[in-house]
Amino acid sequence: MKAKDTVLLSILLLLKFILQYTLIDAAYDLHRDEYLHLDQANHLAWGFHSVPPFTSWLSVLIQALGNGVFWVKFFPALFGALTLMVVWRAIAYLGGDLAAKLLGGFGVLFSVLLRLNTLYQPNSFDVLCWTLVFYCLIRYLKEEQIHYLYGIAIVLAIGFLNKYNLAFLIMGLLPALLLTSQRRVFMRRELYLAGVLALLIILPNLVWQYLNGFPVLHHMNELATTQLVNVSRLSFLSTQPLFFMGSIVVMLAGLLALWIYPPFKNFRALFWVLVIVLAMYTYLRAKDYYAIGLYPIFIALGAVYLSTLLRQWWGKVAYTLLLLSPLLYFGYTYNFLYPNKSPEYIISHQDQYREMGLLRWEDGKEHHLPQDFADMLGWQELAQKLDVVYADLDRQEATLVLCDNYGQAGAVNFYGRQGIKAVSFNADYVGWFELEQPYSQLIRVISARVLEDEFQETARYFKKAYVADSISNSYAREYGTAICVFHNTDLDINLVIKQEVEERLLSRRQK
């Protein structure tokens, strides 16, 4: 790589990291999902209820680095930066000049990835894996070197251990190859050896799934009945162009180039992957962001193709507009798409947020804040107030802290300073109860919508019960969540919890 290219790429990567850390307002805590992923480091396994094990391994590393917010945000930013590097490298491999690299680099940098990479979730690494698979596929389709088949297999396997979403890429990739002249790859025994290699890598997770009754199927059923049922197929398709809106012309040019640009004719399987995967997602009412990994490689293709067309004087004007388009779109969305504005600002600009469809949650209803933003509020307040309540208790070692959901339990464990190990019957926490210690009193963290009923139901088994405090941040999704204390009971709390855990786990296996 030329020195000038290296310098410019380094500047883009540095800008990527700067933006990821500056696009989050200080008013926000971590997201509820992030607490769960961080807590998984304390319960390592080959799988979890909702995700494979890869993120938990990263969480171990984050703990080793001090478990600070800087490192929590570092890894999604890193995966976004690596995605940009893969696109840059793909452009170079396809013969693109510096102009093409900058066009692709701007397209990836100033895109939805800035939003996606703010959260410590499997999604950032997922997009990187999709992009790497496509890059290795291009290398194989052009050179037919066997090691690229093994590269695809390894990336697919590691990506699968990060997020099961990679299964859709596999289901799209195989028929896509059959639809093109590249179907001859199925005559190569190395393809099947690569498949065996991938299977061996993911085998521990598959065994874990089998031994635990395939909880991933239960999780998918939960998503389908509680969230995906509210997803409109038309809405899914209509939001796809928005992810890389600033580079939509470049992406479309990449799609077109597969059919009219001779050097790209061997890559037409990429088009069929796009069509097949989008068709599957649309039919299944998938969340729109599941498909983000499809697009960065088409930015690379389009950047190379357009750079060959725009070399005349008139083309330089068009190129400048295309180069600035992602930046202009970023400027347009800066005040709305990212958690860089306070809740008060968002409330005062409700109309703009509503027009952009940012206030509709997974329940299909509109709320005051975007769902992700509301999920980033109230957590430190909860942990701090619970610390105070816990510190005032006698027999702390005999006190079980039981939360309604994984966000509450994870936030208490992350921010808490009293050594509390909060648990829940929700998500992976249902398998993380430590029942060797006899419990004689209880702290319940109860969500506002069920507070009255749950408090009365639990209080009748205790001689003393009271609401000690609650989340007062009215912008938080957890607003009104209460810290309830229960003293003196004739119940065997450990036995009740054990029975409830067994029933929950059995229910999951049956579903």
Side-chain angles (χ1 to χ4, degrees), residues 198-482:
L199 183 60
L200 289 174
I201 294 173
I202 68 173
L203 185 60
N205 176 253
L206 297 180
V207 172
W208 182 91
Q209 287 285 343
Y210 172 77
L211 294 176
N212 289 273
F214 290 95
V216 64
L217 299 180
H218 172 72
H219 177 64
M220 291 174 64
N221 183 61
E222 281 185 329
L223 284 178
T225 56
T226 62
Q227 297 180 19
L228 302 186
V229 68
N230 298 312
V231 176
S232 160
R233 292 188 175 97
L234 180 60
S235 175
F236 169 84
L237 291 173
S238 66
T239 57
Q240 295 304 306
L242 300 178
F243 294 139
F244 296 90
M245 178 58 74
S247 301
I248 190 67
V249 173
V250 179
M251 282 199 304
L252 291 175
L255 280 168
L256 181 63
L258 293 173
W259 302 98
I260 67 173
Y261 187 50
F264 288 177
K265 66 178 181 179
N266 287 338
F267 308 146
R268 289 174 184 170
L270 294 173
F271 170 81
W272 294 114
V273 173
L274 177 72
V275 171
I276 294 169
V277 172
L278 285 180
M280 287 190 292
Y281 281 150
T282 303
Y283 175 75
L284 295 172
R285 299 178 184 269
K287 296 180 183 180
D288 52 9
Y289 65 83
Y290 288 2
I292 291 176
L294 285 167
Y295 305 116
I297 200 64
F298 289 100
I299 292 178
L301 294 170
V304 174
Y305 176 56
L306 288 173
S307 68
T308 65
L309 296 179
L310 304 177
R311 289 177 177 169
Q312 304 299 323
W313 68 267
W314 58 268
K316 294 181 179 179
V317 176
Y319 172 82
T320 301
L321 293 175
L322 290 173
L323 186 65
L324 292 178
S325 181
L327 185 58
L328 293 173
Y329 186 70
F330 169 70
Y332 170 69
T333 60
Y334 178 81
N335 288 332
F336 305 103
L337 195 59
Y338 310 98
N340 60 338
K341 299 298 181 184
S342 68
E344 292 81 5
Y345 177 92
I346 297 174
I347 296 296
S348 65
H349 293 76
Q350 286 279 290
D351 292 342
Q352 293 94 322
Y353 279 84
R354 186 173 293 106
E355 289 173 4
M356 297 181 74
L358 298 174
L359 300 181
R360 185 173 296 276
W361 289 11
E362 290 170 341
D363 61 7
K365 301 176 182 178
E366 291 198 348
H367 298 261
H368 293 305
L369 297 183
Q371 179 171 315
D372 279 346
F373 299 179
D375 270 332
M376 297 166 67
L377 294 167
W379 303 114
Q380 288 196 62
E381 179 189 354
L382 171 64
Q384 290 166 1
K385 288 182 174 179
L386 200 149
D387 271 353
V388 172
V389 173
Y390 188 82
D392 287 340
L393 292 178
D394 295 327
R395 295 180 293 114
Q396 294 175 351
E397 72 285 352
T399 303
L400 176 67
V401 178
L402 180 61
C403 302
D404 268 2
N405 61 58
Y406 66 83
Q408 298 163 358
V412 168
N413 294 342
F414 182 78
Y415 291 116
R417 295 295 177 264
Q418 295 290 329
I420 300 171
K421 293 182 179 178
V423 287
S424 173
F425 293 122
N426 182 233
D428 297 299
Y429 284 93
V430 71
W432 295 347
F433 283 85
E434 297 179 3
L435 299 177
E436 295 79 12
Q437 164 66 45
Y439 295 110
S440 58
Q441 55 192 17
L442 180 68
I443 294 179
R444 282 279 284 116
V445 178
I446 306 178
S447 301
R449 61 184 178 82
V450 295
L451 174 58
E452 184 175 351
D453 291 341
E454 287 290 320
F455 181 83
Q456 295 298 331
E457 172 65 22
T458 305
R460 63 195 183 98
Y461 297 105
F462 291 82
K463 297 176 182 178
K464 181 180 179 182
Y466 59 93
V467 176
D469 214 329
S470 65
I471 294 178
S472 60
N473 188 333
S474 61
Y475 302 120
R477 189 176 178 184
E478 292 283 339
Y479 172 59
T481 290

Side-chain angles (χ1 to χ4, degrees), residues 162-198:
N162 168 70
K163 188 175 175 68
Y164 296 122
N165 193 39
L166 257 291
F168 288 96
L169 176 54
I170 298 171
M171 290 188 288
L173 183 57
L174 296 179
L177 290 170
L178 286 170
L179 289 171
T180 69
S181 61
Q182 303 298 333
R183 66 180 67 91
R184 60 181 177 272
V185 70
F186 290 96
M187 302 299 293
R188 306 193 69 162
R189 70 184 183 93
E190 291 84 0
L191 174 67
Y192 303 98
L193 292 174
V196 171
L197 174 62

Side-chain angles (χ1 to χ4, degrees), residues 65-130:
L65 293 169
N67 217 32
V69 172
F70 174 88
W71 292 109
V72 175
K73 298 302 182 183
F74 173 80
F75 285 98
L78 173 65
F79 298 143
L82 291 175
T83 301
L84 192 158
M85 288 184 64
V86 174
V87 169
W88 185 283
R89 186 68 188 91
I91 292 171
Y93 176 73
L94 293 169
D97 56 11
L98 180 58
K101 293 173 183 175
L102 288 174
L103 194 58
F106 271 53
V108 174
L109 175 58
F110 299 108
S111 70
V112 72
L113 294 185
L114 282 174
R115 170 74 179 272
L116 193 76
N117 299 152
T118 60
L119 298 178
Y120 178 63
Q121 295 175 331
N123 300 317
S124 295
F125 190 71
D126 183 56
V127 173
L128 172 61
C129 288
W130 285 66

